[in-house]
Amino acid sequence: MHYVEDGAEALARAIGIRVRQERNGLGWTLDRLAAAAGVSRRMLVNVEQGGVNPSIGTLLRLSDALGVGLPALVEPPAPRAPKITRAGEGAVLWTGPSGGRGVLVAGTESPDVVELWDWTLAPGERHESEAHAAGTRELLQVQMGSLTVVVGIESHELKAGDALTFRSDVAHSYANPTGEPTRFSLAVYEPGVGAGHRTEGPHA
């Protein structure tokens, strides 16, 4: 059972195995993948050895360079049959300083990847996200509390029940400015993963 070890350690180990499998499947060296993803060789080695919990940004760069999509790095390949993720089984890919969490609960395969996230932000917490690949879009709905979403230079204040759709190929952030917890569902659509768009043009 994977519950014997710490969840974060198990996830880091699983991600490392998947990154190495995908890299070997392409016949790429460490240096080639590091260059394609725009990460340091040292970081890539640490990821593959399961010795580090990489940021969401680093995982996105690696998954896109490998052409597999982020969900493929946090769960084993599955047949086309429906896949259930039970409560509490999602991949925790971000943990805030006060206990907030970003949990990837479901995702589709490349080339057109859709991710479904369950986010909680403790009072005062903020998550900064770098610009995603060109054409990436996000949809979110606040389930509880209040949320401030900054997209580029525009700020949006949302309450429970409010929803927002935006292009996330610019820097953006999610913040809880209140004294109460915030929870929101987030869907991310990233088209054409593996088409090399992250290394072309101004969005590289």
Side-chain angles (χ1 to χ4, degrees), residues 60 115 117 119 127-142 147-158 162-175 184-191:
L60 282 169
E115 304 161 9
W117 294 77
W119 279 87
H127 173 66
E128 299 275 354
S129 181
E130 60 189 65
H132 299 321
T136 302
R137 294 171 178 81
E138 297 190 13
L139 304 89
L140 65 82
Q141 184 180 35
V142 180
L147 181 68
T148 299
V149 182
V150 177
V151 182
I153 60 173
E154 295 184 355
S155 180
H156 306 275
E157 307 295 328
L158 305 173
D162 292 345
L164 177 68
T165 304
F166 62 97
R167 295 184 70 103
S168 54
D169 48 12
V170 297
H172 51 286
S173 65
Y174 323 98
F184 62 98
S185 297
L186 173 70
V188 181
Y189 169 67
E190 186 177 9

Side-chain angles (χ1 to χ4, degrees), residues 8-86:
E9 292 178 3
L11 179 59
R13 185 173 290 106
I15 290 172
I17 291 170
R18 292 286 289 134
V19 169
R20 187 165 58 251
Q21 287 175 340
E22 294 295 337
R23 178 176 62 79
N24 289 337
L26 292 172
W28 285 11
T29 63
L30 284 163
D31 289 329
R32 180 167 180 183
L33 176 55
V39 303
S40 70
R41 188 180 193 278
R42 178 184 295 272
M43 170 59 76
L44 179 55
V45 169
N46 286 337
V47 169
E48 289 198 356
Q49 292 178 345
V52 64
N53 284 306
S55 70
I56 294 172
T58 296
L59 288 175
L60 282 169
R61 288 193 291 272
L62 288 172
S63 64
D64 197 43
L66 292 167
V68 296
L70 179 57
L73 292 188
V74 300
E75 59 186 37
R80 290 187 175 270
K83 179 183 183 302
I84 297 174
T85 302
R86 298 295 183 189

Side-chain angles (χ1 to χ4, degrees), residues 93-117:
L93 297 182
W94 179 82
T95 303
S98 299
R101 303 197 316 166
V103 184
L104 180 61
V105 295
T108 62
E109 301 171 353
S110 59
D112 294 322
V113 175
V114 180
E115 304 161 9
L116 181 62
W117 294 77

